[in-house]
């Protein structure tokens, strides 16, 4: 009998400049081509795999939540996601379809697994979700896969640990695999790699650490899950702590994955990377306790 399964995971930056460059046709501009060349294999992979659902892990940039009330984890159960106005007007994009039936099941299941989600029945998407989604789906094919956004607080301390994010991914996998109908799911982790956008180390990057992180998220995510926020920030700059969102994606995959694509580019103040991991099937012992 068909049931839900995780078929792969994608990693992508979500800087707003990427979406603006993509939507204004700068694909072949010298400053952008090395990055956008990393998205074409992702478009082809999605076309080939034809997933039924994307679960995207991102953070809200003070559009739906503000610092007076910022949940640790939030998710949308909406049937459709509007486009957020981030202060300069809405992006000229159609609303993004959701998957309310499975989203409600996911919300109940995650709470049962002791992840206290803020459940949103309306959630406009900002560049945290829209930057990767616009690059995954060309204008003539938006949006042919429904999306469930899960929001992680990486802005307002206290923020969840790397281990907690990794275990959230495991809990998502259990919920998908318990779904009694066919549901091929792709996980997406978003965020830049090394970067710091304020303070004495403004503009800090470390290409060596960025590539080590990409190695580890593929082959040894447990090591990343053991790292503290301080270690992430020392290695990659204060804002690189958002790499914990990649660990939600990786935690939802089986222990061993097949990497079919990897691209890295450092054009300015943020290390950008794209990956495709294909799931090789879970070992039950790796997915026990959250």
């Amino acid at each position: 009998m068909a049931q839900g399964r995780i078929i792969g995971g994608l990693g992508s930056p979500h800087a707003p400049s990427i979406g603006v460059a993509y939507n204004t046709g700068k694909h072949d501009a010298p400053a952008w081509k090395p990055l956008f060349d990393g998205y074409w294999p992702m478009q082809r992979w999605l076309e080939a795999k034809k997933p039924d659902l994307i679960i995207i892990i991102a953070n809200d940039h003070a559009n739906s939540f503000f610092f007076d009330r910022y949940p640790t984890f939030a998710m949308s159960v909406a049937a459709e996601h509007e486009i957020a106005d981030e202060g300069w007007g809405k992006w000229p994009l159609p609303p993004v379809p959701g998957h309310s039936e499975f989203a409600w099941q996911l919300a109940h299941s995650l709470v049962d697994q002791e992840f206290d989600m803020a459940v949103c029945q309306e959630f406009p998407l900002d560049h945290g979700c829209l930057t990767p989604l616009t690059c995954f789906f060309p204008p003539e094919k938006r949006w042919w896969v429904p999306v469930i956004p899960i929001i992680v607080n990486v802005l307002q301390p206290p923020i969840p640990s790397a281990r907690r994010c990794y275990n959230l991914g495991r809990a998502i996998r259990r919920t998908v695999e318990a779904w009694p109908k066919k549901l091929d799911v792709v996980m997406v982790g978003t965020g830049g790699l090394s970067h710091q956008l304020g303070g004495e180390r403004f503009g800090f990057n470390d290409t060596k650490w960025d590539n080590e992180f990409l190695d580890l998220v593929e082959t040894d995510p447990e090591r990343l899950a053991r790292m503290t926020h301080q270690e992430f920030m020392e290695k990659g700059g204060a804002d690189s702590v958002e790499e914990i969102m990649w660990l939600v994606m990786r935690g939802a995959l089986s222990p061993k994955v097949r990497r079919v694509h990897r691209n890295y580019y450092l054009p300015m103040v943020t290390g950008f990377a794209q990956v495709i991991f294909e799931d090789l099937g879970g070992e039950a012992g790796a997915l026990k306790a959250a």
Side-chain angles (χ1 to χ4, degrees):
M1 183 177 68
Q3 64 182 45
R5 60 176 185 159
I6 305 283
I7 64 170
L10 308 180
S12 169
H14 65 220
S17 56
I18 299 171
V20 173
Y22 184 88
N23 287 308
T24 54
K26 296 181 179 177
H27 310 153
D28 294 320
W32 288 106
K33 190 176 187 302
L35 176 69
F36 288 122
D37 283 351
Y39 279 114
W40 314 142
M42 304 176 92
Q43 290 187 6
R44 292 192 295 269
W45 186 85
L46 286 166
E47 284 275 4
K49 296 299 180 180
K50 295 179 171 52
D52 301 304
L53 175 66
I54 286 174
I55 299 176
I56 188 167
I57 314 301
N59 64 289
D60 176 71
H61 297 83
N63 288 292
S64 291
F65 307 117
F66 198 63
F67 299 118
D68 58 343
R69 49 177 67 86
Y70 205 111
T72 302
F73 298 118
M75 62 174 292
S76 174
V77 296
E80 188 174 77
H81 309 296
E82 294 295 329
I83 307 303
D85 184 343
E86 301 190 56
W88 50 81
K90 294 183 179 181
W91 287 23
L93 298 169
V96 178
H99 193 311
S100 289
E101 182 185 16
F102 181 73
W104 276 112
Q105 178 62 31
L106 181 61
H108 282 281
S109 176
L110 291 178
V111 171
D112 287 346
Q113 296 179 73
E114 300 185 352
F115 288 90
D116 298 322
M117 312 297 291
V119 180
C120 306
Q121 298 191 47
E122 293 183 6
F123 192 84
L125 302 185
D126 70 13
H127 69 268
C129 293
L130 292 175
T131 290
L133 291 176
T134 55
C135 294
F136 295 162
F137 300 107
E140 67 275 12
K141 294 183 179 179
R142 292 173 179 163
W143 313 97
W144 61 271
V145 184
V147 174
I148 296 176
I150 292 182
I151 302 304
V152 178
N153 173 20
V154 294
L155 298 179
Q156 172 85 324
I159 66 176
S161 68
R163 171 65 64 187
R164 187 70 171 154
C165 290
Y166 189 56
N167 285 341
L168 174 60
R170 291 179 169 185
I172 292 169
R173 184 185 184 92
R174 284 192 288 270
T175 307
V176 169
E177 292 184 337
W179 189 247
K181 295 179 281 188
K182 178 185 178 297
L183 190 72
D184 286 353
V185 178
V186 171
M187 297 292 302
V188 177
T190 76
L193 302 191
S194 65
H195 66 299
Q196 180 156 329
L197 303 180
E200 294 182 0
R201 289 206 300 171
F202 173 81
F204 175 83
N205 298 106
D206 190 327
T207 297
K208 181 179 178 182
W209 163 243
D210 287 346
N211 282 286
E212 183 180 355
F213 172 81
L214 293 171
D215 291 340
L216 291 172
V217 79
E218 176 187 346
T219 63
D220 192 5
E222 281 283 347
R223 180 173 162 189
L224 294 173
R226 292 193 296 268
M227 287 177 58
T228 65
H229 299 143
Q230 183 71 25
E231 290 172 316
F232 276 102
M233 291 188 287
E234 288 177 355
K235 289 177 176 292
D239 296 294
S240 74
V241 73
E242 69 187 25
E243 290 172 339
I244 63 177
M245 294 188 292
W246 285 55
L247 285 178
V248 182
M249 174 271 288
R250 185 62 181 88
L253 304 182
S254 55
K256 293 183 180 180
V257 295
R258 178 187 299 112
R259 172 170 54 85
V260 297
H261 175 60
R262 171 168 156 176
N263 185 55
Y264 176 76
Y265 184 47
L266 178 57
M268 47 185 100
V269 295
T270 304
F272 293 150
Q274 299 122 320
V275 299
I276 302 172
F277 297 142
E278 291 186 351
D279 195 86
L280 294 180
E283 300 166 7
L287 299 171
K288 288 182 179 177

